[in-house]
Every structure is written in structure tokens, then in C-alpha cells.
């Protein structure tokens, strides 16, 4: 597969669309993605609130995008939140929107002076790792997530943990659960739990091929216009909220919490 310039791709995308659709499932539009992020926030707040963190904790958010999870950490009462993003487009806007938060431009797949070792009690990396299309850079990113954590610190991440073979595309790679877990363990991150972050409101990457195509087509048809996208999101939202609580795993993005050994 041809190597792409990921930074250039995300600079263009976020400069043009610094909204939920810019950081989410772009083809489904902003109105639908706004409902999706309501579910994502609920899952994140529920799971992160159970961690031993508080006003004296220091947390790093990797791939901050529009600042969704920065705001979640602040809502949970974290005293010191640092955000980072690959792009200047995101960092500049985040600094304007959140003047009380430090933001740095950093590539998590490369060691950065801006992200010193053993300096955070937790790190979040949401919907970032599967956009690293090179396996070696992915492994380096996981190592860096572990590197910035203090012993016993938490890594909170989202991924598509496939039970089938990996899937490589131009801007996203869906990897297998054993491969991802092995990468985490090699970095010194012990998996504590994994929960659904979404169920129906996203691409069904780990479902049978026929269902993937049928449901993907239905979502795209339902979100062709902003009004229908809003209605589709509103209709699915209460169902999705129940599914992410009751299901043990999902056919799409899941959230995993690990701890630095």
C-alpha cells in the first residue's frame, strides 16, 4: 500500500471541517455525528469516572481534534489537562477555545520533547490509533503512550478490535484484537477492561460482509441531508445508549482501559 502523508491529510480535513464530522464518520454528515458524539461522551465519562483520578491528577489527551475528550476530562474534575494533536489546524483552534489548557503539536508515533516520560497519571487516545496506517509507527505510538505514563497510570483508548483478519485502507487500518493486545502488553500496558463505545451508529467493521454492506448503505442513505441525518441520529440515539451498556462487545469501535505496569 502506498504511504500517505497523514499530517497533510488531517491538516486539510480539519482546516475545512473542524466539527464532529471532521473528526468522525465524515460521510454521514455533521448532524448525525453530533448524536454519535453524545454516545461517545457518555461512554467515556462513565468509564473514566471510575478511575482513581482527581483534581491533583495530570492527564494527556492525544489527538485532541475538536477537544471532545479534553472537555470530558475537565468535566470529571481533572486539575491539569494537556492536549496534543498532529495538526496545526486543530492546535491553533483548541488554544483559542480553551485558553486554560496547554496544547502541543505532537506526533504520538515519534518521541517528542513536548511529551516527557512518566509525567502523566492518565493518557487518552481516542479514535487515533486506527488512523496510523503503518504498523511500525503504530507500535511506536503505543510505546510512547506507555512512556509518558507514571507507574500505575491509565491508558484510555478506542480501537476496532477485529475478530477477523486485518483490513488495510488508505486512511485507516483495522487490526486484530490479538495483535493490538500484544502491542499493548509489549509496551507494558496491562489490559483491564474493554467495553463497546458504539454499536449501530458506526461502520460495522467486525460484522459479516453482507451486514456491513447493508447497514453501511442504510446509514449513508439515511444521512444524505442534514435534516434526515439529524432524524436518523435522534432515532438511533436511545437504542445505542442501551446497547453500549448491555453488550459485552460490539461490531465497531470499542473503548479499552489499560494500566502501566
Amino acid at each position: 500500500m502506498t504511504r500517505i502523508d497523514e499530517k497533510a491529510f488531517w491538516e486539510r480535513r480539519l482546516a475545512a471541517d473542524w466539527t464532529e464530522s471532521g473528526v468522525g464518520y465524515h460521510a454521514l454528515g455533521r448532524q448525525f455525528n453530533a448524536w454519535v458524539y453524545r454516545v461517545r461522551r457518555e461512554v467515556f465519562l462513565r468509564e473514566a469516572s471510575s478511575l482513581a483520578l482527581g483534581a491533583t491528577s495530570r492527564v494527556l489527551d492525544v489527538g485532541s481534534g475538536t477537544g471532545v475528550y479534553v472537555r470530558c476530562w475537565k468535566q470529571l474534575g481533572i486539575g491539569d489537562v494537556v492536549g496534543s494533536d498532529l495538526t496545526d489546524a486543530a492546535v491553533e483552534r483548541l488554544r483559542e477555545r480553551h485558553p486554560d489548557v496547554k496544547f502541543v503539536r505532537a506526533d504520538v508515533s515519534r518521541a517528542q520533547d513536548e511529551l516527557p516520560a512518566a509525567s502523566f497519571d492518565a493518557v487518552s487516545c481516542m479514535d487515533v490509533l486506527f488512523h496510523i496506517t503503518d504498523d511500525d509507527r503504530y507500535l511506536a505510538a503505543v510505546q510512547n503512550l506507555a512512556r509518558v505514563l507514571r507507574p500505575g497510570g491509565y491508558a484510555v483508548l478506542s480501537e476496532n478490535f477485529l475478530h477477523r483478519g486485518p483490513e488495510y485502507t488508505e486512511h485507516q487500518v483495522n487490526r486484530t484484537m490479538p495483535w493490538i493486545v500484544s502491542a499493548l502488553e509489549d509496551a507494558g500496558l496491562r489490559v483491564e477492561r474493554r467495553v463497546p463505545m458504539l454499536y449501530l451508529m458506526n461502520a460495522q467493521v467486525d460484522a459479516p460482509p453482507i451486514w456491513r454492506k447493508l447497514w453501511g448503505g442504510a446509514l449513508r442513505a439515511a444521512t444524505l441531508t442534514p435534516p434526515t441525518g439529524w432524524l436518523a441520529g435522534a432515532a438511533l440515539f436511545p437504542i445505542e445508549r442501551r446497547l453500549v451498556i448491555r453488550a459485552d462487545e460490539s461490531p465497531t469501535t470499542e473503548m479499552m482501559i489499560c494500566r502501566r505496569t
Side-chain angles (χ1 to χ4, degrees):
M1 186 174 62
T2 304
R3 177 75 179 272
I4 63 166
D5 187 338
E6 292 170 359
K7 182 179 185 301
F9 170 78
W10 287 104
E11 285 284 7
R12 291 193 300 270
R13 179 156 159 170
L14 293 181
D17 184 9
W18 196 59
T19 70
E20 294 91 344
S21 61
V23 294
Y25 193 161
H26 195 262
L28 303 184
R30 181 179 181 182
Q31 299 296 330
F32 185 82
N33 274 283
W35 285 104
V36 171
Y37 270 90
R38 287 182 66 178
V39 180
R40 291 180 183 274
R41 284 194 296 269
E42 285 191 4
V43 175
F44 186 92
L45 290 169
R46 183 191 75 215
E47 296 299 320
S49 66
S50 68
L51 306 180
L53 301 169
T56 60
S57 301
R58 190 166 192 245
V59 169
L60 170 69
D61 181 57
V62 172
S64 295
T66 58
V68 171
Y69 301 104
V70 167
R71 291 189 288 276
C72 285
W73 285 122
K74 298 292 284 185
Q75 184 176 337
L76 290 171
I78 302 302
D80 187 1
V81 181
V82 176
S84 72
D85 200 88
L86 177 67
T87 68
D88 294 310
V91 169
E92 290 170 6
R93 292 175 177 180
L94 285 165
R95 285 171 176 166
E96 293 176 2
R97 178 172 289 185
H98 302 282
D100 59 330
V101 176
K102 178 183 178 180
F103 290 96
V104 297
R105 199 199 71 75
D107 181 347
V108 69
S109 69
R110 296 179 172 87
Q112 299 286 336
D113 293 336
E114 296 92 336
L115 305 176
S119 56
F120 294 95
D121 300 295
V123 57
S124 52
C125 188
M126 309 302 293
D127 300 335
V128 171
L129 293 173
F130 50 64
H131 288 301
I132 301 176
T133 55
D134 180 84
D135 286 346
D136 289 336
R137 287 185 56 230
Y138 184 106
L139 295 173
V142 171
Q143 292 285 338
N144 279 328
L145 292 179
R147 181 182 63 83
V148 301
L149 285 173
R150 298 178 177 125
Y154 298 96
V156 182
L157 58 97
S158 65
E159 252 289 9
N160 297 318
F161 301 93
L162 297 191
H163 293 81
R164 60 181 181 87
E167 178 182 61
Y168 288 76
T169 64
E170 186 179 13
H171 298 296
Q172 181 169 317
V173 176
N174 300 315
R175 297 173 172 91
T176 68
M177 174 136 54
W179 193 93
I180 295 169
V181 170
S182 176
L184 293 167
E185 290 177 345
D186 287 346
L189 295 171
R190 183 184 67 247
V191 176
E192 295 210 327
R193 64 181 180 273
R194 175 174 56 92
V195 299
M197 190 149 206
L198 295 169
Y199 202 99
L200 292 175
M201 298 179 77
N202 200 14
Q204 306 287 282
V205 294
D206 203 24
I210 293 177
W211 175 246
R212 292 175 67 192
K213 291 181 180 179
L214 286 174
W215 187 248
L219 281 181
R220 287 188 292 274
T223 57
L224 281 175
T225 67
T228 60
W230 188 92
L231 288 171
L236 284 172
F237 176 68
I239 301 171
E240 193 80 334
R241 293 179 77 195
R242 294 186 182 94
L243 287 171
V244 296
I245 292 173
R246 295 179 180 177
D248 293 326
E249 56 183 22
S250 85
T252 186
T253 306
E254 297 174 318
M255 179 173 168
M256 178 177 277
I257 293 179
C258 306
R259 200 156 192 187
R260 183 76 167 95
T261 57

